[in-house]
Amino acid sequence: MKIIINLGQGNLDNGCESVIVQLLRDRHCVRQFSGSLPPAPKLAQLYSQWQLGYRAFYQEQEMRIGLLQTEGMRYSEADFQKICRQIPQQLNQWLGNEEFANIERALRTDIQKDESIQIIITAANLELHQLPWQLWDFIEDYPQAEVSLNSLNWRKIKCTPRTHQKVRILAVLGNSNGIDLQQDLIALQSLPETELTTLIEPPLRQLNEYLWQPKGWDILLFSGHSHSELEAGYIYLNATENITIAQLKYSLSKAIARGLQIAIFNSCEGIGLASELADLSISYTVIMGEPVPDRIAQIFLQYFLTAFAGGKTFTLAVKEARQKLAGWEIEYVCASWLPAIWQNPATESLTWNDLLPESKPSLSSSKYRLSLLGSFAVASSIAICRLLTFFEPLELRSYDYLTRQRPAEIIDPRILVVEITEANTNSDRYPIADRVLVEAIELLEKHQPAAIGLDVHRANGTGSEYEALIQRLENNAHLFPVCAYGNTSNSYNPPQGLSQAKLRQQMGFSDLLIDNSPPSFGDRSVSPKPQFSANPKVRRQLLSYDSNFATTSLKCLTPYSLSFQLAFEYLQQQGIEPLKVTSEQQWQFGDITLEQMQRRFAAYQQLDGSSQIPINYRASKPGNTITLDQLRSGNIDPAWIADRIILLGYTATVAQDYFDTPYGIMPGVWIHAHMTSQLISAVENERPLIWAFPQWGDWLWLWGWSLAMAAILAVLAKYPLYWSILAGIIAIIISDRICLFLLIQGGWLPYLPTVLALLIITSTFVAYRAAKPFNHQLFTS
């Protein structure tokens, strides 16, 4: 959390007429307050007296200041100690003004005690910057809060990507007259993963050249003498040169653009230095607000660097070092008041690890090793459950969902379905009369169709009308009636009176494969109801079948399905070659091999190995459709029949020839049309057949998604929790769109297992972080 308190152009003598406070959480401003602060001349007078007393107290000490005015100072220890007690009281009394206290109360309702809080006070008046803001009771009440300062004008600097692999530190040890700077150097040399460059009493020209180095720097440290005059700060590079920040403006600006984020001035009166650096928009600056004893400067740097390199954020590392200095205040009065942070409000919280380059994923890294093992375990567990058919019903439903998301296709103009509707069965009775079938066949033959599929069972009959039907079936080489062997009713036998050659070569079985319904294929009208609530839909197409393995003793002898017969006949007339069985016992039509589904295919885990393929339904009707009445009336375009594949069958509900599909309930004759269209479209139009990875390919797909998700979450561990949740949601959406895109191309990928893997990994990670919000070492190490 970040709290920016803008004091505007105000000062202690006249007060701050307009105070604007912004509360930012995760980079977004969530609340803004306004108020004011009254004049505080007593506080201003007290602080001036404190400054005089402070300098008098330390006039005999070794100080990191080039010039300490002590002449004529009067010092009373009792008076000084009294002022030291009065300043915090006066500061909090001033901030307790009702107009500002309302802001403080509102802030306390919005933040938690243990939240990490950056409080940035921006003001135009440097006198306000000099106040010991860390003594504000509000900050004392929040252990993870620290105050920073900045001017009113600031901007965010876009830095070029860093190329170095370690934290680059440029240490400038200036004029050391009367002080020991070697202790500062020792503290720097103990830091991990650093590239330290030390300049000892360098001339301005040399410092300027080092700041211009293209490789860039992360931290700039100056140790030595310095002081401030008005709004300008001076550092003593050597015995003859004392310079201002303005003399380093261009080199520092370039260094900041190349990645310099931290400037540490472990020297006296750095407020002028910090103010000038703030104009260059550096991220963080640490200064000593007043003259600092040499020993305190050494101890502070050691405390701060230890805390910062140990994992503390920059501001909390300064706070810890400042609080530790309180233990030295018997000897060094007000030592903890001296360190001050200047922070660019546009910058985020900074840690030592943020200065290191992002390491490439490594199996030796704990977080990536955990990602590897965790993703492997999730993918393997899901794959095992899948093999045990636990997910099969849900996977089939998810496949139906994706299928319905595909864009619509045009109907197949090579297919015409003649529907025997409710009107026909009401007027001509059910089943439809033989003479009506003969009449319909004659009307169709007049326009020379490529093939006619008669999806109407006619096992037996009597009289001249039935004999006329048999004669028509016997004499037309392009007419294919149906029978069924997955049914115990004699009504599904082939028509009586047909020759053995016709029974074997010019018949097509009408059995449809119905998922999760015993027997595994058969007409809905006579199949037993499913023994468990799964998802009884027609998703597969049986091409051919060895009648010796039939579960009944009926007389349906043809080994070929109706759709297969019609497609074979049509493609043969189109001159497609070859039309054969390959050495792998797969049907081949031209360049297209109809690879049968293996025992484990996509969501299916227990197929019987028969010659079957998935049905790639069209999103619309499979072809043109007319009713039997339209055919008999002659109200039809002959081009819809000539050289086309015709299917004649019931759509009347009395026939009970309706089946569930991924696109909903449809009559059996439509399903046969879809299956026929699929075969000829694959050969003539290269319309994709449905394919799937082998089971090990599905597992690799699952593991790849799981590993990628786990690695992303490991990287996001240092960011707010909602980023991890958002990443999981985005990954699921992307996987959904990829699976849909590939299904349009014919690829049936493990959609539901992929979503499940992403959910498990994301929810596990989120639950871990939610349960242990302050213990992320496992993921951020």
Side-chain angles (χ1 to χ4, degrees), residues 215-526:
K215 200 172 182 180
W217 304 95
D218 298 303
I219 300 174
L220 171 64
L221 168 72
F222 173 79
S223 292
H225 293 297
S226 68
H227 77 280
S228 293
E229 293 180 9
L230 299 177
E231 296 183 1
Y234 293 83
I235 59 175
Y236 291 71
L237 287 181
N238 48 58
T240 60
E241 291 181 286
N242 59 318
I243 65 169
T244 65
I245 295 297
Q247 292 175 270
L248 293 171
K249 176 181 178 180
Y250 298 110
S251 55
L252 281 171
S253 297
K254 180 57 70 173
I256 292 169
R258 287 174 175 165
L260 178 63
Q261 298 190 63
I262 298 172
I264 304 171
F265 290 94
N266 202 24
S267 58
C268 293
E269 290 186 341
I271 192 167
L273 300 169
S275 176
E276 290 183 287
L277 267 176
D279 292 338
L280 300 180
S281 298
I282 193 169
S283 297
Y284 288 93
T285 304
V286 177
I287 61 165
M288 296 296 176
E290 300 292 339
V292 58
D294 186 40
R295 182 60 179 148
I296 291 300
Q298 297 167 2
I299 295 170
F300 167 77
L301 186 63
Q302 178 184 345
Y303 286 160
F304 163 69
L305 292 177
T306 301
F308 186 45
K312 294 278 188 181
T313 63
F314 185 90
T315 54
L316 292 183
V318 173
K319 179 172 186 173
E320 180 176 303
R322 177 174 54 75
Q323 290 176 333
K324 286 183 176 181
L325 288 180
W328 293 77
E329 289 187 341
I330 293 179
E331 184 178 353
Y332 298 95
V333 177
C334 297
S336 62
W337 294 23
L338 301 179
I341 306 169
W342 280 62
Q343 176 184 348
N344 187 333
T347 61
E348 299 305 319
S349 179
L350 183 68
T351 66
W352 183 265
N353 284 337
D354 293 330
L355 299 178
L356 295 170
E358 287 287 344
S359 57
K360 295 182 179 179
S362 169
L363 296 183
S364 61
S365 172
S366 62
K367 64 180 178 181
Y368 291 106
R369 184 165 60 250
L370 181 64
S371 300
L372 180 67
L373 295 177
S375 61
F376 182 88
V378 170
S380 298
S381 299
I382 292 177
I384 292 172
C385 292
R386 198 175 187 228
L387 291 174
L388 296 175
T389 71
F390 292 164
F391 298 145
E392 185 170 315
L394 292 176
E395 276 201 76
L396 292 175
R397 289 184 184 275
S398 66
Y399 170 73
D400 296 343
Y401 157 77
L402 278 184
T403 298
R404 291 191 296 271
Q405 304 305 308
R406 299 184 303 174
E409 298 178 71
I410 61 171
I411 61 175
D412 191 339
R414 295 162 297 192
I415 303 291
L416 174 65
V417 177
V418 181
E419 301 178 345
I420 304 174
T421 65
E422 202 82 42
N424 301 128
T425 57
N426 289 338
S427 61
D428 293 326
R429 72 179 172 82
Y430 174 83
I432 204 77
D434 294 332
R435 62 174 177 78
V436 176
L437 289 179
V438 171
E439 179 186 355
I441 293 171
E442 288 177 346
L443 291 172
L444 292 170
E445 287 178 337
K446 185 169 61 176
H447 300 294
Q448 299 182 335
I452 301 174
L454 194 62
D455 187 26
V456 176
H457 288 277
R458 274 298 189 272
N460 49 53
T462 58
S464 59
E465 291 182 1
Y466 184 73
E467 291 179 0
L469 175 62
I470 296 300
Q471 189 67 29
R472 182 65 63 179
L473 296 176
E474 192 71 39
N475 294 335
N476 189 337
H478 308 304
L479 181 59
F480 296 87
V482 292
C483 59
Y485 49 75
N487 203 294
T488 56
S489 173
N490 290 330
S491 300
Y492 291 87
N493 279 336
Q496 292 180 353
L498 285 182
S499 63
Q500 288 296 312
K502 291 291 182 181
L503 290 176
R504 290 186 177 277
Q505 299 173 14
Q506 203 173 319
M507 294 286 297
F509 59 74
S510 62
D511 303 82
L512 297 175
L513 297 176
I514 302 175
D515 288 333
N516 301 322
S517 178
S520 61
F521 47 84
D523 287 330
R524 170 70 60 83
S525 58
V526 293

